[in-house]
Amino acid sequence: MFDRLAGNDEVKARLRRLLAEGRVPNALLFTGPEGVGKQALAFELARAFVCTAPIDHEGCGECSACRRVETFVLPEPTEKAKDDYK
């Protein structure tokens, strides 16, 4: 499923390797300019974690768990949170 995301080839390769080895860290920080695909990459990783029928350690995109990831909506940051990152 990472293949459907454009760019970030090195990051996708590292995530695939971590998933295959079962060594994904407890926390990952996706940083970078707006629009580079951080959220899409994070959702694909989430899909890999919850998938009930993974294909090569990635989400299948078809099971109910994978489809549920697509419906997740991130909350808007509060004004205080925005101030914390200035």
Side-chain angles (χ1 to χ4, degrees), residues 4-19:
R4 71 185 197 146
L5 303 175
N8 296 312
D9 294 329
E10 184 178 330
V11 175
K12 292 187 292 189
R14 286 183 184 187
L15 289 175
R16 281 185 176 116
R17 192 169 40 252
L18 290 170
L19 286 165

Side-chain angles (χ1 to χ4, degrees), residues 26-57:
N26 291 339
L28 293 169
L29 183 61
F30 293 89
T31 65
E34 188 173 328
V36 296
K38 299 178 298 287
Q39 181 176 326
L41 199 57
F43 281 179
E44 285 303 320
L45 184 60
R47 187 174 282 118
F49 287 141
V50 300
C51 183
T52 59
I55 301 169
D56 293 329
H57 306 287

